[in-house]
Amino acid sequence: MITVDINGASARQLLGDIVEHLADGRPLFQRIAGALAAETEANFEAQGRPHWVPLAAATIAARKKRDKGGSLLSILVDRGTLASSISSEYGPDYALIGAGGAARAYAAIHQFDGTIDRAAHSTKVRLRTDARGQLMRQGTSGSAKGRAQFAAKDHKRARETWAPVDAYQITIPARPYLPFTGSSVGATLQPEAERAILDVLERFLLGPQP
């Protein structure tokens, strides 16, 4: 659970005054939860506010190869798992917005940043062979000298083998998609989200309009 502070004194004071005189805060916090959900959707549409760190060149290349050039290449939107995991909740004195479900394993690291340590391991690879079963090489000079050619899944002449992969790290930059910024212990609402909540509070005070 992460508690988010409202930066603006006016919104914070107005919220406190309203809640103090409410017998049941659910109608108000339902609207606030809806506003938070809308601001989260706006973050995805705008690719961050401010704009998120661009995708790494290796990520772009991998997506294009996987999707045969058809990937949208939208930051944080590849298969849509993270965006579809967003949910909101409310009660008599709170409003929540969060991500999880199928995206639970990586939802937090995209919001706050972090480093993933990958242990050394082996991976199965398919290498091209000639008619005699000998490995085909990428070239005879330079960096390609002696390197085997990788084979596609449907390539008929291929040899499967295990190749070692050294330990490595993956650094994920913060790309706040939920409507707050900062660490998990010092988060503050995005300016756009705070304005949206202030608008909810003002409309709530006015009541139903004819």
Side-chain angles (χ1 to χ4, degrees), residues 5-142:
D5 296 326
I6 297 179
N7 300 325
S10 58
R12 186 166 56 247
Q13 182 64 49
L14 185 56
L15 177 59
D17 291 344
I18 294 176
V19 172
E20 185 178 351
H21 294 89
L22 285 178
D24 182 3
R26 287 182 179 83
L28 171 61
F29 285 102
Q30 180 181 18
R31 298 184 191 183
I32 292 177
L36 293 175
E39 293 304 314
T40 300
E41 183 176 346
N43 282 338
F44 277 100
E45 291 178 354
Q47 297 286 275
R49 298 178 298 171
H51 202 68
W52 292 325
V53 177
L55 293 172
T59 301
I60 294 175
R63 284 195 190 179
K64 286 183 175 179
K65 181 178 180 180
R66 183 199 65 195
D67 299 335
K68 303 185 186 305
S71 176
L72 295 176
L73 298 180
S74 296
I75 304 172
L76 294 192
V77 181
D78 184 14
R79 301 184 185 279
T81 305
L82 179 61
S84 63
S85 78
I86 305 298
S87 63
S88 61
E89 185 182 327
Y90 63 90
D93 58 357
Y94 69 89
L96 297 178
I97 186 76
R104 184 174 183 176
Y106 53 84
I109 199 170
H110 284 305
Q111 175 75 24
F112 301 114
D113 78 31
T115 300
I116 302 172
D117 292 308
R118 296 295 193 190
H121 61 281
S122 296
T123 185
K124 184 178 288 188
V125 296
R126 300 182 81 249
L127 304 176
R128 295 183 64 177
T129 61
D130 57 23
R132 296 177 298 173
Q134 300 297 312
L135 291 177
M136 298 181 66
R137 304 298 175 178
Q138 296 181 18
T140 58
S141 61

